[in-house]
Amino acid sequence: MESIAFGIGITALAGALAAVAGAAENTESDIGSQGDPNSQVQLAPQMGYLHRIFNKAIAGEPPAYGLWVALGAGLAWAFMAMHVNPILAIVLGCALAVFVQGVYATTAYLGRIASLSKFGQPVFIDVLKSMTTVTMAHAFVAIFTTVTICHLINAALGHPFPLPLLGLVWGIALGAAGSATGNPFYGKERQYQTQKFGAGVPIAASGNIVRYAEAGERNSLDNGWFSAKLGGPASGLCFGLIVFLELWRTVLFEKVGAGWGAIVVGIIMILIFTVIDRYIEVWARKTYGPYTEPAKEGS
Amino acid sequence: MTAIGAKPAAGATMDIPSTIAGIILLIVIVGATYFLVGPGMMFYALLGVIIGGLLISFGVHFVPVGGAPAAMGQAPGIATGVAMLAAGAGLAGLFGGAWAAEQGLAVAVITGAVGGGLMMAITCMFVTFIYVFGMGIPSASGKVAKDPITGDTQTEYKSQGTEGHGLPFVSYVGGVTGGILGGGGGTLIYIMLLDVYKEALPAMMKAQAAQVVPIAVSLAGIFAIGMFLVNAVLTAYNITGTIEGPHDPKFKRFPRALVASAVASALCGMVAILIVAM
């Protein structure tokens, strides 16, 4: 009984850490414009819209986070092997991994923006100076919490994978969840605030991103502020639920029916999420109603 | 890629000479492995790895991915890359499957499948949540007039100038199915390789069985993740850009990816097995 209570406690802690990780990851990727909407930031100067937005997407979020979390976890693992206290080892490992993220952010921003110089897009050194540190800070929160989850799963719950491998698995899962959930909010709601709310962005508007914010020209710190309202927390909740439910069903029901208990609970949870999804979909169709017949005039 | 360049083309036809070449290559690799390791556990492990690779490759076709256009509400699907999302789901499944490895092949593979499906179910539900409550957009498919599962009509919910948006129910089901197949396939590869390494490493390293378990687990895990990415990326090239799910015309391209995936999995599997067998 005690071991189950311990397992549930670790599961809850891991779920809470995952929620923080997801929120930080999404905010970091939106400040750095690393998610899928980055193509619009890249496209804007070609369409004649110069901007002051960071753009560091040279690889997708999931592989990039897979690298950074695996790096943080691997270094933490090495420090632990040198008999460093686990908490200190994780902090040190993640701090070193964040420097790699910082180098990546710097070179990616310079490379991506410099490639647009033929369209008149300058490299803003003040953007680089002020925003790289902010993405690094958010990345540290995301990497630290994810490596801590991996350590809890490995040391306290006894998962067979070593820490670096768990780091790779959960780093990729973190990037996938954050990229899928939070990016549309930044992509459509933030970059296209001139477009009507409650409709998709017409393909003809590609590249015409909003470049001015509440106080002067928009920069990526404004994007971080905006994402932290909904996209970040939703990504956090998404990743938190994935980690929590995956661990919860295993810790509580693995022993039931020689492993089949966890499978049945997993299937029930999939069905519950399917019902919720369908409910939201039907609610949206009823509430927003059908759009009028496609009109002849432009959007 | 931009939405402008994302015009889908069906292209489900098989390139016959390439297919035959692929099948011959597959037979050569499987035959060579049989010749080198003989009939037995290692040879069956290779077959298991190939089946796992096929499951992953087939599963990736189900995952609705809209890329950058989806992030602007210009196309339906999840706003990320095919390989990345499928890898995220499959690896979450592999995590669960590896945990259940001691409980037998069937339980472990199904646990992995359910883990991948659960990850996709939660992610897809949140994608719908953000589209509906964050952006005020109902789901609408650009590829079919009616949702094949619910029968909901699509066109009148599509905003002008877009190819549709959100995650229609059929895409949601596709996402979960893809997660299930990917998680199961990845776990199958892991278990097959784990058995091989547990069997071969003690003699090779002159150590006791219990001592090699951490090495066997790590090695099998790394190879399973690697083969997962090989199959996911290979399939992403077959899909080229975006796909809405099983109702998308691009879904019909899957036989091409299955042939390529079988060859790639066989080659990777042969290498993974021969490093301890030779």
Side-chain angles (χ1 to χ4, degrees):
Chain A
M1 190 63 207
E2 270 178 24
S3 70
I4 289 181
F6 177 74
I8 291 291
I10 296 292
T11 302
L13 183 58
L17 285 167
V20 177
E25 189 274 347
N26 185 250
T27 312
E28 189 274 338
S29 85
D30 288 354
I31 292 172
S33 191
Q34 197 187 354
D36 262 292
N38 78 79
S39 68
Q40 301 299 303
V41 179
Q42 183 79 355
L43 186 63
Q46 300 176 39
M47 311 298 278
Y49 309 111
L50 304 186
H51 61 77
R52 280 169 61 81
I53 298 171
F54 209 94
N55 189 356
K56 67 175 171 69
I58 49 172
E61 270 172 85
Y65 265 91
L67 165 70
W68 299 330
V69 175
L71 196 59
L75 289 167
W77 190 54
F79 283 125
M80 280 183 226
M82 292 158 63
H83 302 292
V84 176
N85 175 303
I87 296 174
L88 185 62
I90 292 173
V91 171
L92 283 175
C94 296
L96 289 171
V98 163
F99 278 105
V100 175
Q101 189 266 355
V103 171
Y104 169 95
T106 308
T107 51
Y109 173 74
L110 289 174
R112 281 219 122 188
I113 299 294
S115 74
L116 292 167
S117 62
K118 56 177 161 294
F119 302 105
Q121 172 72 41
V123 168
F124 291 103
I125 296 300
D126 65 314
V127 166
L128 191 65
K129 277 187 192 164
S130 58
M131 285 160 214
T132 310
T133 43
V134 180
T135 68
M136 284 172 74
H138 281 83
F140 179 79
V141 176
I143 297 169
F144 174 75
T145 44
T146 313
V147 173
T148 309
I149 294 167
C150 296
H151 180 62
L152 288 176
I153 291 171
N154 179 274
L157 297 181
H159 193 280
F161 279 4
L163 196 55
L165 209 54
L166 279 176
L168 184 63
V169 168
W170 284 114
I172 291 178
L174 167 68
S179 152
T181 307
N183 278 350
F185 189 62
Y186 161 63
K188 197 263 166 184
E189 280 311 297
R190 184 56 172 177
Q191 291 190 153
Y192 285 93
Q193 283 180 328
T194 45
Q195 296 289 327
K196 214 189 295 178
F197 179 78
V201 175
I203 292 168
S206 291
N208 186 10
I209 56 173
V210 173
R211 295 165 298 145
Y212 300 101
E214 295 74 7
E217 284 197 59
R218 176 179 293 182
N219 63 41
S220 295
L221 300 183
D222 299 321
N223 291 342
W225 168 83
F226 181 84
S227 306
K229 286 196 296 184
L230 181 66
S235 302
L237 212 52
C238 178
F239 188 61
L241 275 178
I242 291 169
V243 171
F244 177 75
L245 292 178
E246 184 66 28
L247 296 181
W248 178 79
R249 79 182 175 104
T250 310
V251 167
L252 265 193
F253 299 101
E254 197 187 15
K255 301 279 189 293
V256 180
W260 289 97
I263 291 171
V264 172
V265 171
I267 292 170
I268 292 170
M269 284 193 294
I270 291 175
L271 292 177
I272 290 172
F273 282 110
T274 307
V275 170
I276 297 173
D277 177 85
R278 178 67 188 150
Y279 177 82
I280 297 174
E281 190 187 356
V282 172
W283 183 90
R285 290 171 74 90
K286 278 190 190 148
T287 310
Y288 302 146
Y291 295 113
T292 47
E293 283 297 307
K296 290 277 179 267
E297 68 270 13
S299 55
Chain B
M1 69 181 294
T2 65
I4 297 163
K7 291 278 174 273
T13 50
M14 297 287 284
D15 182 5
I16 299 299
S18 310
T19 308
I20 294 169
I23 292 169
I24 292 172
L25 209 54
L26 178 67
I27 293 168
V28 168
I29 295 169
V30 173
T33 312
Y34 185 85
F35 177 73
L36 289 168
V37 300
M41 195 256 273
M42 287 191 181
F43 180 69
Y44 291 115
L46 179 73
L47 298 185
V49 167
I50 296 172
I51 294 169
L54 290 175
L55 284 174
I56 294 168
S57 178
F58 186 51
V60 174
H61 285 84
F62 281 90
V63 179
V65 173
M72 259 76 62
Q74 288 175 345
I78 300 172
T80 188
V82 172
M84 299 169 195
L85 188 64
L91 295 182
L94 172 64
F95 166 82
W99 218 350
E102 292 165 1
Q103 288 167 318
L105 182 66
V107 171
V109 170
I110 297 173
T111 301
V114 171
L118 183 62
M119 191 274 187
M120 283 305 295
I122 295 171
T123 306
C124 291
M125 196 277 282
F126 270 96
V127 168
T128 306
F129 177 87
I130 285 282
Y131 272 115
V132 169
F133 298 116
M135 297 149 76
I137 306 176
S139 306
S141 162
K143 299 282 167 64
V144 286
K146 279 187 173 182
D147 188 307
I149 296 176
T150 61
D152 288 343
T153 51
Q154 302 291 314
T155 36
E156 66 266 35
Y157 290 91
K158 207 165 71 163
S159 32
Q160 199 177 8
T162 68
E163 295 175 11
H165 32 60
L167 204 64
F169 192 69
V170 62
S171 301
Y172 175 93
V173 173
V176 174
T177 312
I180 286 173
L181 290 170
T187 310
L188 183 62
I189 294 177
Y190 170 76
I191 304 269
M192 288 293 149
L193 293 179
L194 183 66
D195 288 345
V196 168
Y197 295 147
K198 272 185 178 171
E199 175 99 1
L201 281 179
M204 201 176 144
M205 303 177 79
K206 296 185 180 61
Q208 288 174 351
Q211 289 173 313
V212 300
V213 168
I215 303 167
V217 165
S218 310
L219 214 52
I222 290 167
F223 270 113
I225 292 173
M227 279 187 228
F228 204 99
L229 293 173
V230 165
N231 283 298
V233 171
L234 192 148
T235 308
Y237 276 105
N238 189 42
I239 291 170
T240 60
T242 63
I243 187 167
E244 281 188 19
H247 59 292
D248 193 302
K250 280 186 183 178
F251 182 76
K252 295 195 188 87
R253 294 180 183 183
F254 75 83
R256 298 196 303 199
L258 291 189
V259 174
S261 159
V263 179
S265 303
L267 191 59
C268 294
M270 185 171 93
V271 172
I273 290 167
L274 290 189
I275 57 163
V276 292
M278 300 291 283

